[in-house]
Amino acid sequence: MIIQDLGEQSGTSNRTGNTWKKHEWLLETFGNFPRKVKFTIFGENRINTIPIEAGKAYAVSIDIESREFNGRWYTDVMAFAARQIEVPAPAQGGNSFGNSAPQGGYTQPSQPTFVTPAPEQQNPFTVQESDFSNGEADDNLPF
């Protein structure tokens, strides 16, 4: 869920002299342990083609990259696509994630819900057995 619009910034690159624009947002993940994540949409074209509104839920596609500057590391979370999603209504007497509050003791947390990507999107992290095999038997290990 988008919880805050952090605003738009623009400027001119010192190195190239080109103008740039970015829009930053703060989202909160769903689940038993929600996390807040600040992400950026960089470039005027992307800002105009990725409509996001605070208070609505989105599945956001991101790239994460870290870079070093003067001995310190910085991590950027850059969005390249987003689509609005429906969030189920909270259960009666429960919290916003559908499981009821404990009544005097520990209760097992509910199983997480995973969003399945659209069929046209390909998961770059899918590993096939053929990725590790050259078609020969793997019994020539030294141990």
Side-chain angles (χ1 to χ4, degrees):
M1 169 112 22
I2 304 297
I3 59 175
Q4 190 174 358
D5 179 347
L6 299 174
E8 224 174 74
Q9 297 175 349
S10 60
T12 304
S13 169
N14 291 334
R15 189 168 38 103
T16 63
N18 295 334
T19 60
W20 56 268
K21 186 182 274 191
K22 69 179 182 177
H23 197 135
E24 296 179 324
W25 299 89
L26 185 64
L27 67 80
E28 186 170 41
T29 62
F30 296 103
N32 289 331
F33 303 102
R35 304 281 193 247
K36 290 180 175 66
V37 179
K38 181 188 79 135
F39 68 93
T40 303
I41 301 173
F42 192 84
E44 191 167 1
N45 289 342
R46 281 203 177 132
I47 291 170
N48 294 335
T49 59
I50 304 175
I52 293 182
E53 294 180 45
K56 294 187 177 180
Y58 293 86
V60 180
S61 300
I62 59 171
D63 282 329
I64 301 173
E65 183 177 11
S66 295
R67 58 187 164 70
E68 185 267 338
F69 180 73
N70 289 339
R72 295 194 59 179
W73 284 90
Y74 300 89
T75 301
D76 294 321
V77 179
M78 306 295 279
F80 59 88
R83 65 179 169 81
Q84 190 172 351
I85 59 173
E86 292 296 321
V87 179
Q92 196 72 339
N95 62 28
S96 62
F97 303 108
N99 51 351
S100 59
Q103 300 294 322
Y106 174 79
T107 58
Q108 182 69 27
S110 63
Q111 293 297 319
T113 302
F114 298 97
V115 177
T116 305
E120 66 273 2
Q121 295 176 336
Q122 194 173 32
N123 184 351
F125 301 107
T126 303
V127 178
Q128 303 292 328
E129 185 177 340
S130 61
D131 294 341
F132 298 102
S133 173
N134 59 4
E136 299 176 9
D138 291 333
D139 59 358
N140 59 351
L141 299 174
F143 48 89

